[in-house]
Amino acid sequence: MIVNFEYVGVDASETLTAFTEEKLEKLFNRYEFLISATVHFKQDEKAHDAGRICNIELSLPGPRIFATSNERNFEVSVRETVSDLEKQLKKRKEVYKTH
């Protein structure tokens, strides 16, 4: 499992990195065709009630899969993004089964 982290305008956090790797590892274990993931954390100063943005892009055979979310804190943002990715992966896995 290869995961690249990029922190844009946010201090790097080992706990956030570990939390995200734990969530992504579940996806990598469930979907064996995944190659790598790129995770971007950034903060939107203009959003007062949210502003913690998590973008995750997964590399796999065929087109890449991308999801993003903007929540009150990064942990919730990571959970939402991984949930969106899992929905996309389920659809992609069905395509693999039919061929």
Side-chain angles (χ1 to χ4, degrees):
M1 172 176 94
I2 300 170
V3 181
N4 297 317
F5 289 92
E6 293 184 21
Y7 291 86
V8 180
V10 180
D11 292 335
S13 166
E14 288 185 24
T15 55
L16 184 58
T17 300
F19 177 79
T20 307
E21 283 180 340
E22 177 186 321
K23 295 292 182 187
L24 287 174
E25 191 165 344
K26 292 176 184 176
L27 288 181
F28 275 85
N29 290 338
R30 190 171 298 138
Y31 302 98
E32 63 282 345
F33 52 84
L34 292 176
I35 300 168
S36 67
T38 304
V39 182
H40 297 271
F41 291 111
K42 54 186 170 180
Q43 187 165 347
D44 184 6
E45 298 296 331
K46 296 174 186 165
H48 298 289
D49 58 339
R52 307 297 191 275
I53 301 168
C54 174
N55 301 329
I56 301 178
E57 182 178 320
L58 296 178
S59 295
L60 58 152
R64 294 180 180 199
I65 293 178
F66 178 81
T68 186
S69 64
N70 184 358
E71 299 293 336
R72 286 185 182 268
N73 62 40
F74 283 117
E75 287 79 8
V76 175
S77 188
V78 168
R79 276 193 222 109
E80 288 294 316
T81 305
V82 169
S83 175
D84 292 346
L85 288 171
E86 187 154 21
K87 291 174 190 172
Q88 294 180 49
L89 286 168
K90 285 179 183 177
K91 290 179 184 177
R92 179 71 62 91
K93 192 169 187 175
E94 291 300 316
V95 170
Y96 284 148
K97 285 182 180 178
T98 59
H99 289 86

